[in-house]
Amino acid sequence: MSNVQVFVRVRPALQREISNGEFHSCIACTKKNAQILVTCDDSPVVVGEDGTALSSDSVKLFQFSNVFTQNETTKNVFDETTKEAVKVSLQGVNATVFAYGQTGTGKTHTILGDEDNPGITILAAQDFFNFCSSTSSTTKMTEIHISCIQIYRSTISDLLSYFGDSKDGGEIFDTSFIRPTTISHIDKASKHLVSSVDEVISAIHFASNLRAVASTKLNSTSSRSHLIFTFHVTTYEGQTTNIINTKEIDEDKEIDVKVSV
């Protein structure tokens, strides 16, 4: 697995896009070659069995680590993009997964999802907790904390600063000291211990309700900010009589997995 991989997911056409009967797709995916083919012509892209375009000389080809067609599920995307990142993070390597694309292309749907179609953040949480339950012992314990910050224009805020409290809103940080080329985390961001996927889902709902959104021509609830949801995974190892309560241990190691959109 290389250090950086780039994937493309193509969403299906929405009902409002095809309702007038004039819609046609300007792209095609070739899973075999991990390529996207795009045309500006007023006709669909036709792809041969070998993955090459048959329809027009104007078709442009773009190569990626992998591509996902309109018919593939978020679980397919997770298994081929993020599952490995979760695995290596449990071996002590920091990992980041982020979605980038135009408004209305399905970034939030892929990263966060909903009750019927959980996003890769929830699927990652399931893998983390499955690991915790399978490796827990009297000499080893894994804890998972979460944090969530929002970057909106030039303001950074902690969307979970009051998670679990009766207060609303998020703590806003002074960003004057931050250099975009060097920052990897916000020390002041609150971290919350979680012990189940349901608690992660509750935190996502809490943060989503505080997130800056606005209506656009492409999306009635378009996210206007950049959201970074981080799993802080800490493994404790060592001999102790009551590791869960005392944490009197010989060694601890913390790694971060960031999922952002």
Side-chain angles (χ1 to χ4, degrees):
M1 182 178 182
S2 64
N3 290 339
V4 178
Q5 296 191 77
V6 181
F7 305 89
V8 171
R9 184 183 193 184
V10 179
R11 70 157 173 79
L14 304 177
Q15 184 59 41
R16 60 179 170 79
E17 295 171 331
I18 60 177
S19 59
N20 62 7
E22 298 180 358
F23 173 85
H24 72 264
S25 177
C26 65
I27 68 171
C29 303
T30 62
K31 291 287 292 183
K32 180 180 179 181
N33 302 328
Q35 295 173 339
I36 296 287
L37 297 93
V38 182
T39 182
C40 294
D41 290 348
D42 191 21
S43 59
V45 179
V46 180
V47 179
E49 292 183 1
D50 61 353
T52 59
L54 304 177
S55 53
S56 172
D57 293 335
S58 66
V59 173
K60 303 298 182 182
L61 184 150
F62 300 90
Q63 184 74 49
F64 298 94
S65 303
N66 201 350
V67 298
F68 301 94
T69 68
Q70 297 96 321
N71 300 320
E72 295 188 74
T73 65
T74 301
K75 182 63 165 59
N76 295 145
V77 176
F78 171 80
D79 287 342
E80 296 190 47
T81 64
T82 310
K83 196 175 188 71
E84 184 67 17
V86 172
K87 179 180 177 181
V88 299
S89 72
L90 294 169
Q91 299 169 357
V93 179
N94 290 332
T96 299
V97 178
F98 71 91
Y100 175 84
Q102 183 179 330
T103 296
T105 52
K107 301 182 297 297
T108 300
H109 173 77
T110 297
I111 295 293
L112 301 181
D114 53 39
E115 292 183 5
D116 297 325
N117 299 286
I120 64 174
T121 305
I122 303 302
L123 298 174
Q126 292 174 354
D127 270 22
F128 278 128
F129 288 115
N130 287 339
F131 170 81
C132 291
S133 61
S134 64
T135 59
S136 179
S137 68
T138 57
T139 60
K140 184 175 183 178
M141 179 181 71
T142 300
E143 283 187 345
I144 297 176
H145 291 76
I146 57 173
S147 62
C148 185
I149 65 170
Q150 170 183 254
I151 304 174
Y152 180 55
R153 296 179 177 175
S154 59
T155 300
I156 298 179
S157 53
D158 183 351
L159 297 185
L160 295 181
S161 58
Y162 299 123
F163 179 55
D165 297 337
S166 58
K167 295 181 180 179
D168 241 346
E171 181 181 356
I172 296 177
F173 301 119
D174 174 13
T175 60
S176 59
F177 67 95
I178 293 176
R179 297 180 181 178
T181 57
T182 60
I183 185 170
S184 60
H185 64 280
I186 304 292
D187 288 332
K188 293 182 180 179
S190 61
K191 294 182 181 181
H192 304 267
L193 179 65
V194 289
S195 57
S196 69
V197 174
D198 286 342
E199 290 182 359
V200 175
I201 293 174
S202 295
I204 289 175
H205 288 168
F206 185 91
S208 296
N209 288 334
L210 298 177
R211 193 176 182 190
V213 297
S215 177
T216 69
K217 292 182 178 180
L218 295 176
N219 189 345
S220 60
T221 57
S222 176
S223 303
R224 298 289 86 197
S225 65
H226 185 66
L227 181 143
I228 303 175
F229 193 96
T230 305
F231 294 93
H232 308 272
V233 184
T234 307
T235 300
Y236 301 96
E237 294 184 83
Q239 296 294 328
T240 179
T241 56
N242 192 338
I243 188 171
I244 293 180
N245 292 329
T246 66
K247 292 183 188 174
E248 294 176 356
I249 51 178
D250 299 330
E251 178 183 0
D252 68 270
K253 176 174 59 179
E254 179 178 321
I255 55 91
D256 293 345
V257 178
K258 301 183 188 301
V259 182
S260 60
V261 59

